[in-house]
Amino acid sequence: MTQITRRGFVSAVGSLAALAMAADTSSGAAAAPAGGRGGPEFRGMWLATVANRDWPSRAGLSAGAQRAELLDHLDTAVARRLNTVVLQVRPTADALWPSPYEPWAACLTGVQGRDPGWDPLGTAVAEAHARGLELHAWFNPYRVATHTDPTRLSRNHPARLNPHWAVPYGGKLYYNPGLPEVRAFVQDAMLDAVARYDIDAVHWDDYFYPYPVGGEEFDDDAAYERYGADFRSRAAWRRNNIDLLVRETAARIRSTRAEVRFGISPFGVWRNAKTDPLGSDTAAGVETYDDLYADTRKWVREGWIDYVVPQLYWHIGMAAADYATLLPWWAEVARGSGVDLYIGEALYKAGDPAQADAWQDPAELSRHLTLAADYADVRGHCFFSAKEVTKDRIGAMARVVADHYPTRVLAPRH
């Protein structure tokens, strides 16, 4: 039982969350997760802040109200017997902490650059650890804005001070990954949080080069002309730009705080087998290698990251991308790599009337975890996202907890 308490849990004994944790672990059963694998198991939820998706519920709430909502999400994670919260702290090249590199995030006050009157990241780290939760800081490296108008950014925003860094595409604004100065800057901005806060991991999602938009080209001609001469194609140069970002960030995290892990949550299809015999037996319309210029398989096989959370946001039996096909493919990729494999789960689809019939069944997600339990390389799951973990529209999350999470357990760590 004592091993279940990571840092600071004793300080929270009086809280509802701590009492729930103590009740779950009092039987001594916390060391063995569902599936019979033994040892720690990742049980996470994403807590998205972009466009106020999960938190804060709306921009402009008082500091006290924002804090109360945040603590509610952390308490919900405890009640659901999760052990990790992946908090989005850099949603649109702005920050949920007092960053010297970027303005305060617009999702807090409604005005980018306006001080919210408290430190959300610092509070999240302290309060998560007090509840026995890990706090993984989720950064989006290259997204600048969900619009293309630089004048809507705060006056001191780096994309306004360096307009040549930004590329409009698909109705959004992105930093250009082909510029070495951009790559260095986004690392500096993210590493500031690593140096200043006791976060457990740096986490990226699936946005590298943007998802393709029909009829548009990502305008990096000048950067390619200047830096791409040694590459056989623009695609190879773009992939190298992202490879450099991954490798350099990993090295800088290790040199800043070696105990901080580095994880990435890519789109779930690297390449279809029709494109590449090493790919999965799928027919996905997007392939990360070719469309996002992200060689996610290589990052795992080379051991550049500590964990990978492929977003397997499809149901069992889906023709184009079957969960039951992609799960063993990723298990094989991770096997022997030293990179932990967790599976990203589409809780947000459960009970959504716009989704396929499979997602109307509260047991669909539970079947995912049952299937995954047969693969020793799968060390856990992460649920998108916090709003659905709380609301649980048709009881799919409650079913997962009942079937697979009888007690709380530790998150995996190297």
Side-chain angles (χ1 to χ4, degrees), residues 113-192:
R114 178 177 292 172
D115 189 332
W118 68 303
D119 182 352
L121 177 54
T123 300
V125 170
E127 295 289 346
H129 290 169
R131 289 161 172 76
L133 297 165
E134 288 200 351
L135 196 289
H136 292 206
W138 166 16
F139 305 85
N140 187 291
Y142 289 126
R143 182 174 56 210
V144 173
T146 56
H147 56 79
T148 59
D149 184 0
T151 66
R152 292 171 58 185
L153 303 173
S154 65
R155 288 186 178 182
N156 64 341
H157 196 290
R160 289 190 70 172
L161 300 178
N162 304 278
H164 63 288
W165 286 7
V167 179
Y169 179 79
K172 300 184 172 99
L173 202 60
Y174 299 91
Y175 281 133
N176 187 344
L179 298 178
E181 59 269 36
V182 165
R183 192 171 71 246
F185 171 79
V186 298
Q187 290 177 48
D188 290 343
M190 293 183 286
L191 267 291
D192 179 67

Side-chain angles (χ1 to χ4, degrees), residues 7 53 234 247 290 365 384:
R7 63 172 81 93
R53 202 265 177 204
R234 188 180 303 226
R247 294 181 66 182
D290 303 278
L365 277 185
F384 192 86

Side-chain angles (χ1 to χ4, degrees), residues 28-326:
R37 293 187 296 267
E41 177 186 22
F42 188 96
R43 301 176 184 174
M45 73 176 188
W46 281 284
L47 181 53
T49 59
V50 64
N52 298 95
R53 202 265 177 204
D54 293 323
W55 174 80
S57 59
R58 61 178 176 85
L61 293 176
S62 68
Q66 289 178 15
R67 185 179 187 277
E69 287 188 352
L70 175 62
L71 299 191
D72 283 345
H73 282 298
L74 299 181
D75 287 341
T76 297
V78 171
R80 297 294 195 184
R81 297 175 185 152
L82 306 181
N83 54 31
T84 304
V85 172
V86 184
L87 172 63
Q88 190 174 34
V89 300
R90 186 177 181 268
T92 49
D94 49 16
L96 269 74
W97 75 97
S99 168
Y101 295 95
E102 294 176 312
W104 280 105
C107 64
L108 297 170
T109 65
V111 179
Q112 191 174 63
R114 178 177 292 172
D115 189 332
W118 68 303
D119 182 352
L121 177 54
T123 300
V125 170
E127 295 289 346
H129 290 169
R131 289 161 172 76
L133 297 165
E134 288 200 351
L135 196 289
H136 292 206
W138 166 16
F139 305 85
N140 187 291
Y142 289 126
R143 182 174 56 210
V144 173
T146 56
H147 56 79
T148 59
D149 184 0
T151 66
R152 292 171 58 185
L153 303 173
S154 65
R155 288 186 178 182
N156 64 341
H157 196 290
R160 289 190 70 172
L161 300 178
N162 304 278
H164 63 288
W165 286 7
V167 179
Y169 179 79
K172 300 184 172 99
L173 202 60
Y174 299 91
Y175 281 133
N176 187 344
L179 298 178
E181 59 269 36
V182 165
R183 192 171 71 246
F185 171 79
V186 298
Q187 290 177 48
D188 290 343
M190 293 183 286
L191 267 291
D192 179 67
V194 176
R196 295 170 59 187
Y197 296 92
D198 189 21
I199 62 174
D200 295 287
V202 168
H203 182 101
W204 292 352
D205 54 16
D206 53 326
Y207 290 93
F208 298 99
Y209 278 86
Y211 279 82
V213 175
E216 292 194 38
E217 295 292 332
F218 188 82
D219 185 8
D220 56 1
D221 289 353
Y224 180 52
E225 183 176 352
R226 183 171 182 181
Y227 299 109
D230 294 334
F231 295 87
R232 68 183 184 276
S233 66
R234 188 180 303 226
W237 170 71
R238 286 177 173 175
R239 274 188 291 275
N240 184 68
N241 293 333
I242 305 303
D243 282 353
L244 287 172
L245 179 72
V246 173
R247 294 181 66 182
E248 291 171 0
T249 300
R252 292 187 64 179
I253 292 170
R254 286 194 298 271
S255 65
T256 303
R257 283 184 55 224
E259 71 275 18
V260 173
R261 303 179 75 203
F262 182 26
I264 297 178
S265 176
F267 178 78
V269 175
W270 171 70
R271 298 187 98 184
N272 297 316
K274 187 175 181 179
T275 305
D276 188 319
L278 293 176
S280 52
D281 186 15
T282 51
V286 172
E287 300 164 277
T288 60
Y289 181 94
D290 303 278
D291 296 309
L292 309 184
Y293 307 97
D295 193 350
T296 53
R297 182 182 183 276
K298 178 180 181 180
W299 305 341
V300 175
R301 296 307 306 166
E302 295 292 332
W304 291 354
I305 57 180
D306 295 307
Y307 70 80
V308 64
V309 195
Q311 296 174 22
L312 303 192
Y313 288 176
W314 304 283
H315 60 268
I316 295 172
M318 182 178 179
D322 190 341
Y323 185 95
T325 296
L326 284 160

